[in-house]
Amino acid sequence: MSAPIIAIDAMGGDFGPHCIVPASLDCLAESPSLHLALVGQSSVLEELVSRYKGVDRSRLLIVHAEEIIGMDEKPAQALRGKPQSSMRLALELVREGRAHACVSAGNTGALMALARLVLKTLPGVDRPAMMTAIPTREGTCLLLDLGANVDCSAEQLYQFGVMGSVAAQSLGIASPRVALLNVGTEDIKGNQQVKGASLLLQRARDLNYQGFIEGDGLFRGDADVAVCDGFVGNILLKSSEGLVQMVAWRAEALFRRSLMSRIVGALALPLLRQLRADLRPAQYNGASFLGLQGIVVKSHGAAGREGFRAAVRRATEDVRHNLPQRLHSRLEDLLVSQRSDNSGDDVTATGGSPSN
């Protein structure tokens, strides 16, 4: 494909352009084929870019945006009240074909609502899902949803499973193991939404569905794709990030406790630092919105420079794998036809309504 062009919502996130601009320029420097469009208040962006020497301006476009969507704004307000926001204009660059993907660290609810409005969903998809890779014992597992849909029906969980499987195949896994995150592995466990989704996934053609999985099985690497609603997924993600940081802190504190522990710590410290580097949340930052007619990646709002770089890399990989087209070709069969087959089945209507 041609050189990837990524549209960056440069005004989003907790740290705004003072973090996003240097992170974006880092990505531009490390990838000679990458092109970026920084969207935001042009005077601010130009001043920040000018601080860095050697920037290849032939691969950098600054697009002016009058408005900024706050991290605490309601999605409805962002939809109706800010047509010139940096987030919306970045998405419109993707819709117009002037960019291949959009990356934002801004308000998640607003990004989801605007992405659905501007880019639309693929046929057969009710709502997009946020997906990221989390580290396991042997590699990574794709987890979705991460918070875009707090309440999900059985049909929506089924859609997440199908989309996650296609995404895993794009990463080179021939027959991804798909599992539903649940409170137990037995068929009788779980709420009605999870049980209904399990029935739908069992019937899906060409889907390597493994059944239910518990949290410990996820980190053991018992599945390549783990599916849950956004309420569970967001708590799991944030808890695992906090656990990694707590274990690393406790281990370092233990090694400082006495002379002997400091001696042992001096020997173990390189291994501990390597482990901490392997598991640090920043390198896994960047959640893809699956199910849209375009590529959108959400960076953690509190991500620093390293984390935002990871989100841009995630978008670049999705562009390289042409993820929406791959999803479209598989979803037409696995979702649209499956929905017709299950049109009279009660399980497809089980569960709560999507979150706003």
Side-chain angles (χ1 to χ4, degrees), residues 181-227:
L181 196 60
N182 199 5
V183 295
T185 58
E186 301 86 354
D187 290 341
I188 60 172
K189 296 289 183 68
N191 57 29
Q192 292 304 310
Q193 295 96 302
V194 170
K195 292 177 182 177
S198 184
L199 292 175
L200 293 174
L201 288 165
Q202 288 173 28
R203 300 172 189 170
R205 297 184 295 272
D206 301 322
L207 194 73
N208 186 12
Y209 177 57
Q210 301 290 301
F212 296 143
I213 188 174
E214 294 183 273
D216 58 342
L218 186 154
F219 290 105
R220 276 199 308 269
D222 293 347
D224 301 303
V225 178
V227 176

Side-chain angles (χ1 to χ4, degrees), residues 68-97:
I68 302 171
I69 294 175
M71 296 297 283
D72 58 349
E73 284 190 41
K74 293 182 179 180
Q77 182 179 352
L79 280 172
R80 293 192 297 264
K82 294 189 174 178
Q84 295 298 311
S85 69
S86 57
M87 183 184 290
R88 181 164 187 156
L89 294 185
L91 290 166
E92 289 180 352
L93 290 176
V94 178
R95 183 188 62 189
E96 296 164 2

Side-chain angles (χ1 to χ4, degrees), residues 24-286:
S24 299
L25 296 181
D26 288 344
C27 293
L28 204 64
E30 71 183 24
S31 179
S33 65
L34 180 65
H35 289 66
L36 295 180
L38 293 176
V39 186
Q41 296 176 342
S42 57
S43 59
V44 174
L45 301 183
E46 289 284 4
E47 194 278 327
L48 288 171
V49 171
S50 69
R51 298 179 185 180
Y52 297 87
K53 306 300 181 183
V55 176
D56 185 354
R57 293 301 298 258
S58 69
R59 295 188 289 124
L60 180 66
L61 175 68
I62 291 180
V63 179
H64 181 64
E66 294 284 347
E67 299 166 322
I68 302 171
I69 294 175
M71 296 297 283
D72 58 349
E73 284 190 41
K74 293 182 179 180
Q77 182 179 352
L79 280 172
R80 293 192 297 264
K82 294 189 174 178
Q84 295 298 311
S85 69
S86 57
M87 183 184 290
R88 181 164 187 156
L89 294 185
L91 290 166
E92 289 180 352
L93 290 176
V94 178
R95 183 188 62 189
E96 296 164 2
R98 297 170 60 193
H100 298 107
C102 167
V103 180
S104 176
N107 183 312
T108 302
L111 182 62
M112 173 63 77
L114 283 169
R116 292 184 68 196
L117 175 70
V118 174
L119 299 177
K120 313 300 182 186
T121 57
L122 292 167
V125 177
D126 290 340
R127 290 179 64 85
M130 292 172 63
M131 179 196 75
T132 196
I134 62 170
T136 66
R137 188 179 295 177
E138 299 296 331
T140 60
C141 174
L142 299 181
L143 176 66
L144 69 166
D145 180 46
L146 300 177
N149 307 282
V150 176
D151 295 310
C152 296
S153 67
E155 169 71 19
Q156 289 162 351
L157 291 173
Y158 163 70
Q159 292 174 16
F160 297 168
V162 172
M163 291 192 293
S165 178
V166 175
Q169 288 175 338
S170 75
L171 299 177
I173 304 174
S175 182
R177 298 164 298 160
V178 179
L180 278 167
L181 196 60
N182 199 5
V183 295
T185 58
E186 301 86 354
D187 290 341
I188 60 172
K189 296 289 183 68
N191 57 29
Q192 292 304 310
Q193 295 96 302
V194 170
K195 292 177 182 177
S198 184
L199 292 175
L200 293 174
L201 288 165
Q202 288 173 28
R203 300 172 189 170
R205 297 184 295 272
D206 301 322
L207 194 73
N208 186 12
Y209 177 57
Q210 301 290 301
F212 296 143
I213 188 174
E214 294 183 273
D216 58 342
L218 186 154
F219 290 105
R220 276 199 308 269
D222 293 347
D224 301 303
V225 178
V227 176
C228 57
D229 63 43
F231 183 85
V232 172
N234 192 269
I235 291 175
L236 172 63
L237 182 67
K238 301 292 178 56
S239 298
S240 61
E241 291 174 352
L243 177 63
V244 168
Q245 294 169 352
M246 183 274 291
V247 169
W249 185 89
R250 291 285 293 269
E252 290 179 0
L254 183 64
F255 288 141
R256 293 193 299 266
R257 186 166 296 177
S258 66
L259 176 60
M260 182 57 68
S261 63
R262 286 196 292 272
I263 294 172
V264 174
L267 298 174
L269 193 57
L271 294 177
L272 179 62
R273 286 174 174 167
Q274 181 62 52
L275 177 63
R276 191 172 189 174
D278 290 343
L279 299 179
R280 65 185 185 275
Q283 71 170 329
Y284 295 97
N285 182 51

